[in-house]
Amino acid sequence: SKLKTVDFTKVSDIPDYLMGYSGLEDIQIPSNIVTIGEKAFYKLDSLKSVTISENNNLENIGQYSFSSN
């Protein structure tokens, strides 16, 4: 996949399975995100970094959200 980044600033939830198996390299979780769904970022072989906003409002991170297995 050629997709390298995604802008999550206009949503509050990242759905289950949204970006699994994609080519994302860097993930920025902004403060407006409340939920990261199950396996939302599953099996990202190209992933180099994940940054979660210091002032985050996360209430739930689903199972295996960042799993590589």
Side-chain angles (χ1 to χ4, degrees), residues 16-28:
D16 295 350
Y17 309 101
L18 181 69
M19 302 306 303
Y21 294 96
S22 70
L24 284 180
E25 294 180 353
D26 300 298
I27 299 172
Q28 303 283 325

Side-chain angles (χ1 to χ4, degrees), residues 21-59:
Y21 294 96
S22 70
L24 284 180
E25 294 180 353
D26 300 298
I27 299 172
Q28 303 283 325
I29 306 295
S31 61
N32 53 291
I33 298 297
V34 176
T35 301
I36 298 174
E38 183 176 312
K39 294 186 178 181
F41 301 105
Y42 182 72
K43 286 292 245 183
L44 299 184
D45 295 334
S46 301
L47 187 62
K48 296 176 184 171
S49 70
V50 175
T51 305
I52 297 175
S53 172
E54 192 172 310
N55 301 324
N56 73 75
N57 291 299
L58 277 171
E59 294 178 5

Side-chain angles (χ1 to χ4, degrees), residues 54-67:
E54 192 172 310
N55 301 324
N56 73 75
N57 291 299
L58 277 171
E59 294 178 5
N60 184 42
I61 298 175
Q63 285 189 302
Y64 311 109
S65 291
F66 298 93
S67 177

